[in-house]
Amino acid sequence: MTHTAFEQTLAEAVALARLAPSSHNCQPWAVHFDPVIHCGYLAIDNRRKLTGLPSLEREMLLSCGIFFHFLEQLIYLRGYQLHWRWCDEQEQQVLAGEDRALIRFMPGPEQAHQATAFATLSEQLQQRHTVRSAYRSTLLSEQQRNELSTVLKPYPVTLGIYYQQTHGKALAHLTQTYAGLDFANKAAWRETYSYIRFDERRQYEDGFYLHNLFGPVSGGFKTFFKVAFHPHLSGLNKLLRLPTKMAQGLAELVETGPHYLALNVSKEGDEALFRAGLGLGALWLKLQQWGWAMHPISVLVQHDSAREALATSLSQSELPIFFARFGEPEQSGSPAPRRHWQSILVSDTHSLTKSTPTQRE
Ligand SMILES: Cc1cc2nc3c(=O)[nH]c(=O)nc-3n(C[C@H](O)[C@H](O)[C@H](O)COP(=O)(O)O)c2cc1C
């Protein structure tokens, strides 16, 4: 079977864009491409998406947005501009199967490659990891602040930036108060726990090892964590006050900052959330270019009570969709498992309708 130059480019780009961050590292994306009509679509793979809390649907859209931002950039540097648009309801129904179609795309004519920029981006994507440990107290300069705002200009999001000195204590207090919600909701904790990988010698395709979450850990800690936090033993772990202790550990990290960012969407709806994800992808890459990193603290935006308290604490009238601490990390993070690109990219010759996207909205 022969593949066109674009199909090869798409495969190469998927193999790098799959390094995008996603909630619980569930990597909920699927890319369908029809080689006959030369048109494809990006979807949420319903078998892979998180369902433990209703608010996780928002994180699936954000995660797919980040993934598509990386994909689009890579393909652009390989000489193809992707024209894409949000799927309307009719298309979503036609394309419905295991997946929920989000956008349709088609490549423009091949143009000049930007090989050096492609290599740089590829390197950045491979170096980028979520960093959950200590950050240096490096200041965020006015210029850096402006760069972050500029990066987000094309997207329907507003960025709020806050500092350890002014907000650290209050945000730590919020985390201490609300982080226990992660364990309190049985369905949510069962789902989170199912993504924790205890056997470091085994290759997984998603989720995180304990060292991704806590740095190097002993065999004893692994066994303790596996048993003590098992969802069936929630009575025992409450008795041992483990949720409170975990919340305290996270609160202490949050207090160290050194900086925090909150994103709000300036429009309603799923398309706006997806586009916010594109912006979040661009923001994450900008931090990576500086050698900086991010540690999302999603428990503060996943539950209504926590989200409202966060908005109040940040003096915002709108409820944030994403919250993270960020800065220059003392140590880089470690790679988390990834799906194989062939399980993400599906060649489809029958499910696409005739209408093709003609321009980016
Ligand atoms: C929308 C979103 C929410 C996330 N929330 C959290 C979080 O609350 N806590 C956390 O430690 N990591 C969070 N992460 C980071 C993911 O766990 C991380 O991207 C994933 O495990 C893959 O690891 P990597 O980013 O190092 O490649 C989030 C990522 C995304 C995209």
Side-chain angles (χ1 to χ4, degrees):
M1 188 173 161
T2 55
H3 293 281
T4 61
F6 177 73
E7 283 170 77
Q8 282 167 16
T9 297
L10 182 61
E12 179 189 35
V14 168
L16 285 163
R18 77 197 167 109
L19 301 173
S22 59
S23 309
H24 293 16
N25 197 23
C26 71
Q27 305 158 63
W29 37 73
V31 177
H32 294 250
F33 190 72
D34 185 330
V36 176
I37 60 169
H38 224 56
C39 175
Y41 67 98
L42 171 77
I44 294 181
D45 182 337
N46 285 331
R47 293 159 307 181
R48 305 196 63 90
K49 70 174 193 177
L50 303 180
T51 55
L53 291 169
S55 58
L56 289 168
E57 188 67 24
R58 197 164 52 226
E59 295 192 15
M60 297 304 95
L61 289 160
L62 287 177
S63 301
C64 285
I66 301 172
F67 170 82
F68 192 71
H69 175 74
F70 292 177
L71 190 77
E72 193 181 21
Q73 295 301 306
L74 289 158
I75 290 176
Y76 177 74
L77 295 174
R78 278 289 190 236
Y80 296 94
Q81 190 175 355
L82 283 189
H83 301 289
W84 64 267
R85 62 170 168 73
W86 188 250
C87 288
D88 58 34
E89 258 176 46
Q90 202 190 346
E91 283 170 321
Q92 285 189 357
Q93 274 168 14
V94 172
L95 299 172
E98 308 280 19
D99 298 344
R100 175 191 166 193
L102 299 178
I103 59 160
R104 309 259 332 252
F105 65 84
M106 69 182 293
E110 189 175 359
Q111 291 166 346
H113 292 205
Q114 300 180 46
T116 311
F118 183 91
T120 306
L121 176 57
S122 156
E123 182 68 19
Q124 283 163 0
L125 295 177
Q126 290 173 75
Q127 296 301 322
R128 188 215 56 80
H129 306 299
T130 297
V131 177
R132 302 176 177 89
S133 51
Y135 288 76
R136 298 180 202 282
S137 52
T138 319
L139 297 178
L140 180 76
S141 70
E142 194 58 32
Q143 188 190 329
Q144 284 175 305
R145 236 190 117 107
N146 291 339
E147 281 181 39
L148 293 181
S149 300
T150 306
V151 150
L152 287 175
K153 273 225 169 83
Y155 307 102
V157 280
T158 48
L159 169 71
I161 292 181
Y162 309 88
Y163 300 99
Q164 195 275 333
Q165 295 84 341
T166 47
H167 287 80
K169 281 222 149 37
L171 290 167
H173 181 68
L174 275 190
T175 309
Q176 174 74 64
T177 309
Y178 292 103
L181 290 173
D182 263 351
F183 307 98
N185 183 308
K186 278 202 173 130
W189 178 244
R190 206 179 306 120
E191 184 170 67
T192 303
Y193 187 88
S194 74
Y195 279 90
I196 302 175
R197 309 294 174 221
F198 294 100
D199 186 351
E200 317 258 332
R201 288 159 308 182
R202 260 186 69 185
Q203 292 274 331
Y204 293 91
E205 61 166 20
D206 55 14
F208 17 58
Y209 296 107
L210 279 183
H211 71 245
N212 292 130
L213 300 176
F214 300 109
V217 289
S218 67
F221 178 83
K222 267 186 257 173
T223 310
F224 169 76
F225 193 99
K226 187 173 180 177
V227 175
F229 283 95
H230 196 285
H232 289 162
L233 299 177
S234 58
L236 173 70
N237 65 45
K238 274 198 200 105
L239 203 68
L240 295 172
R241 301 189 65 242
L242 295 179
T244 313
K245 286 179 190 154
M246 287 293 286
Q248 192 176 342
L250 186 61
E252 281 165 14
L253 264 184
V254 166
E255 182 162 3
T256 63
H259 318 304
Y260 312 95
L261 61 86
L263 292 183
N264 291 67
V265 265
S266 45
K267 281 186 189 163
E268 294 277 309
D270 288 356
E271 180 176 355
L273 282 168
F274 174 77
R275 287 180 184 268
L278 299 175
L280 181 54
L283 188 86
W284 217 315
L285 271 183
K286 177 53 80 182
L287 294 177
Q288 181 61 32
Q289 283 160 17
W290 300 339
W292 285 31
M294 188 146 59
H295 176 190
I297 312 288
S298 299
V299 69
L300 295 183
V301 292
Q302 284 166 346
H303 306 268
D304 288 345
S305 52
R307 219 172 154 210
E308 279 158 24
L310 177 65
T312 307
S313 171
L314 303 178
S315 311
Q316 289 188 352
S317 52
E318 304 293 331
L319 301 178
I321 54 155
F322 182 82
F323 178 74
R325 59 190 271 261
F326 74 100
E328 183 184 13
E330 283 184 5
Q331 287 176 339
S332 61
S334 52
R338 283 300 188 276
R339 297 168 62 193
H340 197 276
W341 69 266
Q342 281 164 319
S343 84
I344 301 170
L345 183 56
V346 182
S347 183
D348 259 342
T349 45
H350 34 263
S351 54
L352 288 157
T353 50
K354 289 279 176 261
S355 72
T356 51
T358 48
Q359 61 173 26
R360 183 178 171 159
E361 289 170 342

